[in-house]
Amino acid sequence: MASKQGILGSDTLSLHGRLHSGSVNRKLLVFILLSIGFLGFQCINFLHIQPQVRISAQASASLARCRSLSATPGPSPSFHKRPQSDRFVAGTKPVLLKNAKVWTGDKNGTEVIEADVLLDKGIIKGIGHVRAKTLAAYQNIEVVDVKGAWVTPGIVDLHSHLGDASSPETNGASGDDNSLKGPIQPWLRSLDGLNTHDDSYRLSIAGGVTTSLVLPGSANAIGGQGFTIKLRPTAERSPSSMLLEPPYTINSSFLELTESFPWRQMKHACGENPSRVYGQTRMDTIWQFREAYNKARELKDQQDQYCERVLKGDRELLESSPYPEDLQWEALVDVLRGRVKVQIHCYETVDLDDIVRLTNEFQFSIAAFHHAHEAYLVPDVLKSAYGHAPGVAMFATNARYKRESYRGSEFAPRILASHGLQVVMKSDHPVLDSRYLLYEAQQAYLYGLPENLALAAVTSTPATIMGLDHRVGYVKEGWDADLVIWDSHPLALGATPKQVFIDGIPQLKDPHHAEKPKAFQELPRVPNFDDEARDAVKYEGLPPLKVQSAKEDIIVFVNVANIFARAASGIEETFFSFDGERGVVVVQNGTVTCSGSSATCMTNSLGDARIVDLKGGAISPGLVTFGAPLGLEEIQGEESTQDGAVFDPFLGKVPSIVGGDKALIRAVDGLQYGGRDTLLAYRSGVTSGIVAPTHYAFYGGLSTSFSTGALHKLSDGAVLQEVNALHVSVRHFGSAPSVSSQIGALRRLLLNPDHRSDAGKWFGYVSEGRLTLAVEADSADVIATLILLKKEVEAKHRSHVKLTIVSGLEAHLLAKELAAANVGVVQIPSRPFPTTWEKRRILPGLPLSEKSTVLELLAHNVTVAIGIQEAWSARNTRFDLAWIAVDGGGQLSKADALALGSTNVEKLLGHKAHDYALNDLVATEGGDLLDFGGKVVAVISPQRGLIDFL
Ligand SMILES: *[C@@H]1O[C@H](CO)[C@@H](O)[C@H](O)[C@H]1NC(C)=O
Ligand SMILES: *[C@@H]1O[C@H](CO)[C@@H](O)[C@H](O)[C@H]1NC(C)=O
Ligand SMILES: *[C@@H]1O[C@H](CO)[C@@H](O)[C@H](O)[C@H]1NC(C)=O
Ligand SMILES: *[C@@H]1O[C@H](CO)[C@@H](O)[C@H](O)[C@H]1NC(C)=O
């Protein structure tokens, strides 16, 4: 074999060289092959002879493809010796961060070092004590003393639709994430829909997100290829320039490998979404997967057989037929070759099981199951997947929005981690605003995921799963200079970036920040949820949520640190422990009979009372939820679980049986109790709700107040107030009804109410100032028009109309005018996001603006409350409130924050303030309602004369 060069070496050309006329070449090659055979060199491997062979361009391309089949993705061995990042922007100043507390991501996420961090050329050049000599080599370096602030890698989002489902939604550039052309489309690319003008880039960076995997949506079984981007703006302003390690296919139709090549990403989905979109069943979808994978397998087999022969020296085959390839199926073949990170949306056990079988049949592995709300119930199913166990990418508490997520549990992250599975928290942006992805990790930590894994779940673990852990997800020498300087411990609620670096470039210009108490620099204490986590598995995701009323007449809460109570002005802190002296609250038959110091309350008459140690906890007023259909629906995606929507005279004829367009529907008539979101809300300190009839357009109806803890409508205190307020929406619904038509309707109904009709009677009450009118609106222009209409009605009826704006994301633009008109706002959601055009002018809050909408409105003395959009989030009201208090940096007391989620909701939505002493109270152990450490242990209900233990 040593002589092969001698034989073939006469007329060499590069395999990528000039094109030759095929026929001439083929003759020559046949001759050469025959010569080799004749001379007994059959074993010649073309790998070794390539520089000297004279072959056609097509043959050389085929040969190159065959040679690369065994190559695997990943960085080159010398990657970390790179002098600068491929994403380095010339002119970026080197930066030295001094005195940082760095969570590096190393050592399983347990390494925290106090160090300086040197950033240059888009790379982390050093961590530790940077010597003066090293520094001296840098001119023009920016030195920032971060004074002990926490520094983490930039947040990495494993599941985003940023750019493809862009905000605000418009017909022109949203919804580019799902193709409806068929269930199997491995050839589509999320990159092709990436809108560079999505408002979310800036917002998500403000939450510390630096890298996102943009996946196609989940309408299709195989939705197409995902692309990883960095979120910062680029000089080129193009989608392509945002890519991080794009696959080789972006410039060429087929495989063209260099010494190293990046991982590709692919989206799959199973279960309800493809079924719904394509009117099919799970059986159909799995067959479609098998059919597609079979096609890919056939192509792969053809390629392998071809290459085996060609690489063994079959020149005839090489010259007569090209390497078998197919543009539509090449990506799926790459899956079978182990070059693609498959990211698959699957929820239920049946789906996980189906897909695991598919991986074993076709022998490919899965990077991660996404959503996977039942994965924690079947860890062994995941472990039996082909190759390796997939990671699991989850939401923290977003569940029960469809049947597939009904058994979702906040304890899933800790349970999966305890089985050694990789846990990722993801946004599915804009499903959750990825700006708050860190909050998902905080909640996972709150419910028991170890802190190291919680931080890894939004940094190093997703980076590893997407095959980019050699450059993002860690603060390590040689990694990309993507990091976040936080204003608190990153797992403390409300942690906000002080600065975000991407490729070494600071992303926040003149950031704002709030003063935070020292305690926020420490890892927050969290309650113990071991029993709850065990029950989640024991009851297959549906642990009983019933409560137990205390049997004892007298309960004494001791070791109470704070007592908050309702008062005429809102909420007041009536007791706080001083000099370590803790308080006592005595409850007799559900009524507080004494609260304060133990000297005053601990009397002999308490004989056989049950003593409950709150361990430094608190007694607070029960919170009130509003905004979601909580109380009218159980599962958002299941109509069979819902009250349904009211008829709207704008949209069609209202049946005469309900009174035609003179009808006005009452939510109280559709109330349903005992739903899981409702009971979870109760267990989270949200003891009552206000709900308006579900409506899709202008016409709403009459809202009602109900108890979230009641099990049916006939139980004591289940309905708190039958009629609260009259609700309508004035929105940009599309072509009809126009905004002006809606305002016209409202004017007619309010100026000339027909008192003889049902609707007329209630609109008449509004005109007279006897009933609150709650108008859902966001646009500042609509809100301004409503303020004028209010004046018009008041002038005619000589009244004071009680008007409340619901949602109100642009209300801050009219803070002064709203205050002057005495119009309050229930802001929904409490952390705004520009979903639609009429919401685009949000006030984003820290670090982008000094104030949030809520704080801006409060500064103008507008009455403000907060609400929610979806029922699952009612349970998080306490943290929504806490976040506002934290952002206020001390401007807002805890009592003021509690009022935004209780008394102000009631005031703005027509809940009559009756005897304060009759409202529910909530006992928390280990902290107060606004504190991660506080666990709700009991609800005190004077009206029902009992205490519920949870
Ligand atoms: C990583 O940390 C988790 C939680 O702290 C622990 O259970 C696990 O064993 C650790 N893994 C390794 C490889 O050290
Ligand atoms: C694609 O081609 C452009 C232009 O030659 C080049 O700058 C870029 O690096 C190429 N990208 C890949 C992934 O090959
Ligand atoms: C509580 O109510 C029960 C039943 O109404 C009554 O017998 C008892 O005396 C009450 N106890 C107190 C402390 O008020
Ligand atoms: C808000 O009310 C406070 C107290 O009544 C008052 O001092 C302050 O000037 C008011 N602010 C505005 C902007 O009206």
Side-chain angles (χ1 to χ4, degrees), residues 119 682 917:
L119 313 179
Y682 188 66

Side-chain angles (χ1 to χ4, degrees), residues 315-342:
R315 296 305 288 265
E316 196 178 335
L317 180 64
L318 179 66
E319 285 297 339
S320 61
S321 28
Y323 175 79
E325 54 199 359
D326 182 333
L327 196 52
Q328 282 197 303
W329 299 100
E330 61 79 28
L332 217 52
V333 173
D334 255 4
V335 172
L336 296 177
R337 295 199 183 283
R339 293 169 166 181
V340 183
K341 300 286 191 180
V342 177

Side-chain angles (χ1 to χ4, degrees), residues 8 27 35 53 94 130 150 176 185 225 250 316 380 421 559 606 692 694 710 714 727-728 750 756 763 787 895 904:
L8 299 171
K27 273 184 210 143
S35 314
V53 185
V130 180
W150 282 92
D176 258 337
Q185 311 202 65
Q225 301 158 40
I250 64 160
E316 196 178 335
D380 291 336
L421 293 162
N559 214 347
L606 297 177
T694 303
L714 301 181
H727 295 251
V728 297
L750 292 173
R756 289 158 307 169
F763 278 97
I787 291 173
N904 284 11

Side-chain angles (χ1 to χ4, degrees), residues 598-927:
S598 64
T600 23
C601 293
M602 286 301 238
T603 60
N604 293 337
S605 64
L606 297 177
D608 52 358
R610 173 168 167 190
I611 307 287
V612 179
D613 183 354
L614 288 187
K615 300 174 185 156
I619 303 285
S620 316
L623 302 177
V624 186
T625 185
F626 170 74
L630 193 83
L632 291 177
E633 82 173 22
E634 171 73 344
I635 303 174
Q636 189 189 72
E638 289 294 336
E639 286 180 349
S640 64
T641 73
Q642 302 166 1
D643 178 51
V646 298
F647 297 99
D648 189 306
F650 266 120
L651 300 182
K653 196 164 151 40
V654 180
S656 57
I657 193 167
V658 294
D661 62 10
K662 307 253 185 324
L664 196 67
I665 300 302
R666 305 175 185 202
V668 68
D669 293 333
L671 280 178
Q672 51 189 59
Y673 290 82
R676 296 193 73 80
D677 284 327
T678 317
L679 294 177
L680 284 167
Y682 188 66
R683 293 171 158 266
S684 309
V686 178
T687 58
S688 68
I690 298 175
V691 66
T694 303
H695 58 286
Y696 297 138
F698 165 80
Y699 208 57
L702 298 167
S703 56
T704 188
S705 297
F706 65 100
S707 161
T708 53
L711 289 182
H712 60 77
K713 202 191 240 173
L714 301 181
S715 60
D716 203 12
V719 178
L720 298 170
Q721 187 174 309
E722 286 201 20
V723 171
N724 275 47
L726 197 162
H727 295 251
V728 297
S729 299
V730 178
R731 290 209 172 279
H732 291 259
F733 289 116
S735 60
S738 66
V739 168
S740 42
S741 306
Q742 297 167 60
I743 294 289
L746 203 50
R747 176 182 288 113
R748 188 183 65 81
L749 289 162
L750 292 173
L751 286 183
N752 304 302
D754 169 12
H755 291 278
R756 289 158 307 169
S757 74
D758 194 28
K761 183 178 84 184
W762 294 104
F763 278 97
Y765 291 160
V766 169
S767 302
E768 293 156 19
R770 291 164 63 191
L771 180 73
T772 297
L773 176 67
V775 183
E776 190 185 293
D778 281 300
S779 152
D781 297 306
V782 171
I783 295 171
T785 302
L786 290 167
I787 291 173
L788 291 172
L789 180 61
K790 175 179 189 281
K791 287 183 184 149
E792 197 180 333
V793 175
E794 287 172 341
K796 166 145 187 204
H797 291 275
R798 298 209 177 80
S799 60
H800 292 286
V801 170
K802 294 187 223 163
L803 173 65
T804 293
I805 302 298
V806 168
S807 202
L809 293 196
E810 293 191 350
H812 60 97
L813 296 171
L814 295 168
K816 206 170 100 208
E817 291 78 6
L818 285 163
N822 199 20
V823 176
V825 177
V826 185
Q827 194 193 293
I828 303 174
S830 65
R831 292 178 296 285
F833 180 75
T835 322
T836 54
W837 191 258
E838 61 186 342
K839 302 181 185 200
R840 74 193 186 285
R841 293 176 289 183
I842 60 167
L843 190 58
L846 300 175
L848 297 173
S849 63
E850 186 199 340
K851 284 198 163 60
S852 60
T853 303
V854 168
L855 292 173
E856 175 74 3
L857 292 173
L858 287 174
H860 285 85
N861 294 335
V862 176
T863 305
V864 186
I866 60 161
I868 56 166
Q869 285 177 305
E870 292 177 272
W872 62 267
S873 61
R875 64 178 305 166
N876 294 334
T877 304
R878 48 186 294 218
F879 303 129
D880 295 339
L881 296 169
W883 206 318
I884 293 169
V886 170
D887 282 354
Q891 296 168 46
L892 204 64
S893 68
K894 284 195 169 184
D896 294 339
L898 287 168
L900 304 180
S902 57
T903 45
N904 284 11
V905 186
E906 294 176 344
K907 195 193 283 180
L908 290 173
L909 295 169
H911 185 90
K912 307 227 165 36
H914 40 242
D915 187 353
Y916 303 127
L918 286 180
N919 280 296
D920 287 348
L921 295 167
V922 176
T924 46
E925 182 189 287

Side-chain angles (χ1 to χ4, degrees), residues 24-104:
V24 173
N25 260 329
R26 191 157 301 141
K27 273 184 210 143
L28 177 64
L29 280 167
V30 169
F31 168 75
I32 292 169
L33 283 167
L34 286 173
S35 314
I36 295 165
F38 188 70
L39 293 169
F41 289 114
Q42 293 96 327
C43 63
I44 282 175
N45 185 335
F46 279 85
L47 275 175
H48 302 295
I49 57 171
Q50 53 101 345
Q52 286 82 26
V53 185
R54 179 196 284 271
I55 54 173
S56 70
Q58 177 203 286
S60 77
S62 296
L63 208 46
R65 275 164 211 173
C66 287
R67 270 195 266 102
S68 64
L69 285 189
S70 55
T72 49
S76 73
S78 60
F79 181 81
H80 290 124
K81 298 205 183 93
R82 61 191 172 145
Q84 73 174 45
S85 168
D86 53 345
R87 297 182 46 87
F88 175 62
V89 175
T92 306
K93 266 192 184 178
V95 178
L96 179 69
L97 302 176
K98 287 186 75 71
N99 304 315
K101 194 178 278 180
V102 187
W103 182 87
T104 65

Side-chain angles (χ1 to χ4, degrees), residues 108 450 452-453:
N108 194 24
N452 54 321
L453 300 184

